[in-house]
Amino acid sequence: MPSERHRKTQGPFRKPRAHRQTRHLCLANCGRAKGDTPEQICATLRGIIELDVEVVHLGDGGVSYVTLGSVEEAVLARSRVPQFTRWTAEFAELVEAPLIPVPPCDPCITEHHDVPGLQILSDFVTQVEAQVLLDEIDARPWDTSIRRRVQHYGHVFDYTSLTCQEAAAPMPDFCVKVLSRIDLPHFPNQLTVNEYTPGVGIASHVDTHSAFEDGIALLSLGAGIVMNFTCGDTDRPVWLPPNSLTLLLGEARYAWRHGISSRKTDRIGDETVPRGRRVSMTFRTAIDRPCSCAWPDL
């Protein structure tokens, strides 16, 4: 019988029985009271192990939890965290909880989702245009160092220093036509292509203020997906249809986190929709100066 101390939990986590290795880690000396944020935790771990964190449970005190993509990734992170950070890492176990149905999300109409500065333009590209873009993307090499495949153009974001300074391959010719139709305050000079296969997501985050200008555009190719926008206790799940363009401007860009839950289905109204392969083209304008927005602390 495990001791009471062994069975104590922090949120949905506890110490694993029999020192079992898991894909969840407990980070000691890490939490809101220590000045840590979910974005900083994700960026630090990616800089250390070049892998994405699926979920961050930020503690109010000095203990937080992260979920990696596999046990092997967690083993690697556990060994490297003490070498490069003030944190210590031990395996954690996710406490089983009853399955909660995925709530229906709002339709992709701007006035319905109630996120200031968020715009969703359906059918921004035709199915033929989308397939041409996908073919062009797939003809180029993918970076497979993290759980999802990525491509970088224009600049590469450094997840350790949280800056966008390293030059990457030039912006590709195949995106010129799309760029000419995107209306942003600043013309994009950076493109990140992300591939989301069923079950793959991305932790909730705000793109680093000092690395990118106001105005971010996400073009969804292939399948649609539900993206969650959160601000404080407010959570807005929004359906991003295939071939749509999502614009993050002002408050939506700086003050609302956005992320994708790691699951294989989405609930749209009364319908459960299986996820397919989604390729996201994210256009941003890289900068290297302090942020002067109205939400500097977020």
Side-chain angles (χ1 to χ4, degrees):
M1 176 71 69
S3 67
E4 284 300 311
R5 181 180 177 184
H6 186 83
R7 292 165 57 190
K8 285 183 179 178
T9 66
Q10 171 78 19
F13 294 97
R14 66 185 174 197
K15 289 184 179 180
R17 292 180 172 86
H19 305 289
R20 184 170 63 90
Q21 293 180 344
T22 72
R23 67 190 188 104
H24 313 289
L25 292 178
C26 169
L27 301 180
N29 203 29
C30 173
R32 189 172 285 108
K34 302 292 183 179
D36 297 303
T37 66
E39 292 81 14
Q40 180 250 337
I41 293 171
C42 289
T44 299
L45 288 175
R46 185 172 182 188
I48 292 172
I49 61 175
E50 298 184 342
L51 294 168
D52 268 352
V53 177
E54 286 196 357
V55 180
V56 175
H57 292 264
L58 182 67
D60 290 329
V63 178
S64 297
Y65 293 82
V66 295
T67 299
L68 283 299
S70 67
V71 173
E72 291 75 18
E73 292 176 13
V75 170
L76 178 62
R78 178 175 177 267
S79 67
R80 293 188 178 179
V81 160
Q83 301 176 36
F84 297 96
T85 73
R86 56 177 161 76
W87 311 329
T88 59
E90 295 296 339
F91 293 110
E93 184 175 73
L94 184 64
V95 179
E96 294 294 335
L99 290 176
I100 301 174
V102 178
C105 76
D106 295 330
C108 59
I109 302 175
T110 300
E111 57 267 27
H112 284 187
H113 54 59
D114 195 28
V115 178
L118 173 63
Q119 300 177 28
I120 301 172
L121 309 178
S122 298
D123 299 318
F124 187 79
V125 294
T126 66
Q127 189 59 42
V128 172
E129 290 174 320
Q131 190 58 56
V132 169
L133 289 170
L134 284 170
D135 291 343
E136 291 282 0
I137 289 169
D138 284 329
R140 287 161 171 75
W142 288 93
D143 178 352
T144 59
S145 61
I146 61 175
R147 190 165 184 238
R148 64 180 185 277
R149 299 198 300 172
V150 298
Q151 296 179 19
H152 295 286
Y153 299 96
H155 296 269
V156 174
F157 182 67
D158 187 326
Y159 289 86
T160 302
S161 64
L162 301 182
T163 59
C164 203
Q165 297 178 336
E166 181 184 348
M171 295 287 280
D173 292 339
F174 65 77
C175 70
V176 171
K177 183 178 178 182
V178 170
L179 274 174
S180 68
R181 293 156 50 191
I182 296 177
D183 185 15
L184 289 176
H186 308 275
F187 192 77
N189 61 8
Q190 195 270 342
L191 166 63
T192 296
V193 181
N194 289 288
E195 180 190 52
Y196 296 93
T197 53
V200 173
I202 186 170
S204 182
H205 66 283
V206 175
D207 288 45
T208 304
H209 287 205
S210 59
F212 301 106
E213 281 281 12
D214 188 11
I216 297 173
L218 299 85
L219 181 62
S220 296
L221 305 175
I225 208 162
V226 168
M227 179 172 282
N228 284 77
F229 293 85
T230 57
C231 184
D233 295 330
T234 303
D235 185 357
R236 295 283 184 265
V238 180
W239 171 247
L240 308 185
N243 305 336
S244 66
L245 184 74
T246 302
L247 299 178
L248 306 181
L249 300 163
E251 184 174 334
R253 181 265 182 267
Y254 289 114
W256 286 71
R257 304 180 192 277
H258 58 280
I260 297 172
S261 298
S262 299
R263 58 178 183 246
K264 295 187 177 182
T265 61
D266 284 317
R267 183 83 179 274
I268 313 300
D270 294 329
E271 184 180 0
T272 298
V273 179
R275 284 187 180 175
R277 182 198 185 213
R278 173 179 177 263
V279 173
S280 171
M281 299 177 68
T282 301
F283 296 96
R284 298 174 288 202
T285 305
I287 56 174
D288 183 21
R289 58 173 172 76
C291 176
S292 58
C293 76
W295 303 272
D297 297 328
L298 298 174

